[in-house]
Amino acid sequence: MTTPSVEDALRRTAVFRRLSPADRTRVAAVARLRVHPRGMMIFTEGDPSDAFLAIVEGRVKVFKSTPGGKELILEIFGPGDPLGAVALYEGAPFPASALALDDTTCLRIEQPDFFRLLEAHPPLVRGLLSGLTIRLAELTRRLAELTGARVEARFARLFLKLAEQIGRPDPGRGGVFAPMPLSRQELADLTGTTIETAIRIMSRWQKEHVLLTEKDGFVLIDRAGLEATAAS
Amino acid sequence: MTTPSVEDALRRTAVFRRLSPADRTRVAAVARLRVHPRGMMIFTEGDPSDAFLAIVEGRVKVFKSTPGGKELILEIFGPGDPLGAVALYEGAPFPASALALDDTTCLRIEQPDFFRLLEAHPPLVRGLLSGLTIRLAELTRRLAELTGARVEARFARLFLKLAEQIGRPDPGRGGVFAPMPLSRQELADLTGTTIETAIRIMSRWQKEHVLLTEKDGFVLIDRAGLEATAAS
DNA sequence: GTCGCCGTATGACGGCGGTCATACCCATCG
DNA sequence: CGATGGGTATGACCGCCGTCATACGGCGAC
């Protein structure tokens, strides 16, 4: 992994992509790159927010602990996604935690600089609002999904979404390969269940040739079956 | 209910409260008041969003239907709360529906006017971001709460929150009265459960003198008991 | 090598809560 | 008046899934 320049990084993140080169230079003046090693917390639930972040390289798990002490994964973000825009209002505390799943490079703009940028470049506001509203819509969707749906249906939807977002054809078995290694525990945290239930479902699907677990991701074989399960 | 003037309405909504009188006059020039009778849909999930709304008078139920066909209430808003700010990016579809629980007066600013206001008055951006951020945090909190917490704990938290937000001392029984009439069905939709379970819990609490249902709201008697239940 | 740890796997058990059925109260309406 | 419909209440049943316990394979430490 070669560390890109700040301007390269700006070109890669959705919020800043449409800036003119001159504006990009000005943004670059206040942006910093920071590398978080795999397994490190990037920010923690309850901390005061002090900067706007965007992922340049690597994957980041955003999660929140439930009142029962379990851990619910809200989202797994990748390159180009903004991070912590959620809490950018006057140092409000982060509502969730973020942890680097890989060695991760982040673009970082301190809060005062970020507000100055917003006031100087109104078009940035639209981009930011866009990101926030999309995230809000996604959260409401997941909220509706978590209630009243059986765990198995949530699993099916999770993998169908994965396939749609990052899937590629799998030549060997005529399925779809989703290159996203996740442990059973992480699957459980994504769907709001326990590790045992996650193992049971994955184990059964493996036997029934619906879905295979591989070292670096999952192979969806029986996509129609998953869709039927998701709808139930 | 006397219909207030547009400027009165602006003074009552959080986003616009801090404007200077001159700015408020300019905002008033593009804002309209609209009355939605009780029981009417204000907007529907999937509709393209075309305006920014804020509640001046009345209560509004914001809800989303789940994949299973049930209805999940995301929030019940009252006077001063913004509405539909969620979907104000380039006519993105509303992620949820809104229905007037009372005869409701809304302040309405069409989308192009709203964006012009934002660009002319950067301080408005902070207010809007603040609102979105708070809502986002609230949604993540509910998301974490809905998973892994027993239904009874969700009920307890719901009423404790109600008491905190709109509760007033109840002289007769030494408890807290929350003036918010909600049917058993609405309680079920707020907590993501079924009407039977809602009835069972409310019925038992009534017998155990924990919480009373009245015609126009609820009386919390055993607040400590509710807090214990919420924590479990 | 052995030990310990972590992730995965599988079974037994039980309870929460969803589903179905029925009944009651009360307001509205013909 | 009886009929109808909506909200509330209660019991029976049972299945999903959370909890607890156990086991097994891979891998690094030493």
Side-chain angles (χ1 to χ4, degrees):
Chain A
M1 178 180 93
T2 60
T3 304
S5 76
V6 173
E7 298 217 11
D8 272 348
L10 286 177
R11 251 189 300 275
R12 288 197 212 167
T13 66
V15 186
F16 300 110
R17 191 171 296 142
R18 295 170 173 240
L19 290 182
S20 69
D23 281 347
R24 199 146 49 212
T25 305
R26 259 173 286 172
V27 175
V30 294
R32 301 272 176 278
L33 288 181
R34 181 181 291 187
V35 176
H36 301 267
R38 171 194 171 96
M40 276 285 152
M41 299 292 300
I42 298 175
F43 53 78
T44 301
E45 186 177 346
D47 284 357
S49 61
D50 55 351
F52 171 86
L53 302 171
I55 304 175
V56 177
E57 179 107 28
R59 290 178 311 145
V60 173
K61 167 172 102 173
V62 177
F63 63 98
K64 184 172 175 62
S65 52
T66 72
K70 293 200 311 185
E71 169 172 310
L72 178 69
I73 297 182
L74 298 175
E75 201 97 39
I76 292 184
F77 285 126
D81 290 325
L83 200 63
V86 179
L88 253 184
Y89 174 69
E90 312 222 335
F94 285 110
S97 305
L99 182 141
L101 289 180
D102 311 313
D103 291 342
T104 298
T105 308
C106 285
L107 188 75
R108 188 181 177 84
I109 304 178
E110 301 301 319
Q111 194 180 90
D113 294 327
F114 190 69
F115 275 122
R116 270 196 292 276
L117 280 177
L118 285 186
E119 296 190 1
H121 302 273
L124 280 183
V125 172
R126 287 212 184 196
L128 191 65
L129 285 181
S130 156
L132 282 179
T133 57
I134 288 172
R135 185 145 171 63
L136 216 34
E138 167 69 14
L139 273 184
T140 63
R141 206 186 51 73
R142 287 203 61 196
L143 198 51
E145 201 177 288
L146 271 182
T147 64
R150 289 199 315 282
V151 173
E152 202 177 333
R154 284 183 244 161
F155 266 80
R157 275 194 277 269
L158 168 62
F159 285 112
L160 288 171
K161 186 179 149 204
L162 264 187
E164 190 183 333
Q165 286 182 347
I166 59 166
R168 62 181 71 146
D170 182 77
R173 280 143 302 196
V176 178
F177 176 66
M180 171 76 74
L182 295 169
S183 71
R184 303 302 192 228
Q185 181 66 62
E186 284 168 333
L187 291 175
D189 293 344
L190 274 166
T191 49
T193 183
T194 60
I195 189 174
E196 292 95 334
T197 300
I199 288 175
R200 265 181 257 273
I201 290 176
M202 296 300 290
S203 186
R204 195 177 70 246
W205 282 355
Q206 187 102 2
K207 280 183 206 147
E208 295 169 355
H209 299 284
V210 173
L211 179 70
L212 307 180
T213 301
E214 302 208 329
K215 197 172 183 57
D216 49 355
F218 303 93
V219 184
L220 284 77
I221 306 291
D222 183 5
R223 192 179 183 130
L226 284 178
E227 272 159 7
T229 305
S232 72
Chain B
M1 178 180 91
T2 60
T3 303
S5 76
V6 173
E7 298 217 15
D8 271 348
L10 286 177
R11 249 189 300 276
R12 288 197 212 167
T13 66
V15 187
F16 299 111
R17 191 170 296 142
R18 297 170 173 242
L19 289 182
S20 69
D23 281 348
R24 198 147 49 212
T25 305
R26 259 172 287 173
V27 174
V30 294
R32 302 271 176 279
L33 287 182
R34 179 180 292 187
V35 176
H36 302 267
R38 170 193 172 94
M40 277 285 152
M41 299 290 303
I42 297 176
F43 52 78
T44 301
E45 186 177 347
D47 284 357
S49 60
D50 55 351
F52 171 86
L53 302 171
I55 304 175
V56 177
E57 181 106 26
R59 290 177 310 143
V60 172
K61 166 171 101 174
V62 176
F63 64 97
K64 183 173 177 62
S65 52
T66 72
K70 294 200 311 183
E71 169 173 309
L72 178 70
I73 298 182
L74 299 175
E75 202 96 39
I76 292 184
F77 286 126
D81 290 325
L83 199 62
V86 178
L88 253 184
Y89 175 70
E90 312 220 337
F94 285 109
S97 306
L99 182 142
L101 288 181
D102 311 313
D103 292 342
T104 298
T105 307
C106 284
L107 187 76
R108 188 180 177 85
I109 303 178
E110 301 302 318
Q111 194 180 90
D113 293 329
F114 190 69
F115 275 122
R116 268 196 292 278
L117 280 177
L118 284 186
E119 296 190 2
H121 302 275
L124 280 182
V125 172
R126 287 212 184 196
L128 191 65
L129 284 182
S130 156
L132 283 177
T133 301
I134 290 171
R135 187 145 169 64
L136 213 36
E138 168 68 14
L139 273 183
T140 62
R141 206 186 52 73
R142 287 203 60 193
L143 196 52
E145 201 176 288
L146 271 182
T147 64
R150 290 199 315 283
V151 173
E152 201 178 333
R154 284 182 244 160
F155 266 79
R157 275 193 279 267
L158 168 61
F159 285 111
L160 287 171
K161 186 179 150 205
L162 264 188
E164 191 183 334
Q165 286 182 347
I166 58 166
R168 64 182 69 147
D170 181 79
R173 279 144 304 198
V176 178
F177 176 66
M180 171 75 74
L182 295 169
S183 70
R184 303 303 192 227
Q185 181 66 62
E186 284 168 332
L187 290 176
D189 293 344
L190 273 165
T191 49
T193 183
T194 61
I195 189 174
E196 292 95 334
T197 300
I199 288 175
R200 265 182 257 273
I201 290 175
M202 295 300 290
S203 185
R204 196 177 70 247
W205 282 356
Q206 189 102 3
K207 281 182 208 148
E208 296 169 352
H209 298 284
V210 173
L211 180 69
L212 307 180
T213 302
E214 302 208 329
K215 197 171 184 58
D216 50 355
F218 304 93
V219 184
L220 284 77
I221 306 290
D222 183 5
R223 191 179 184 131
L226 284 178
E227 271 159 8
T229 305
S232 74

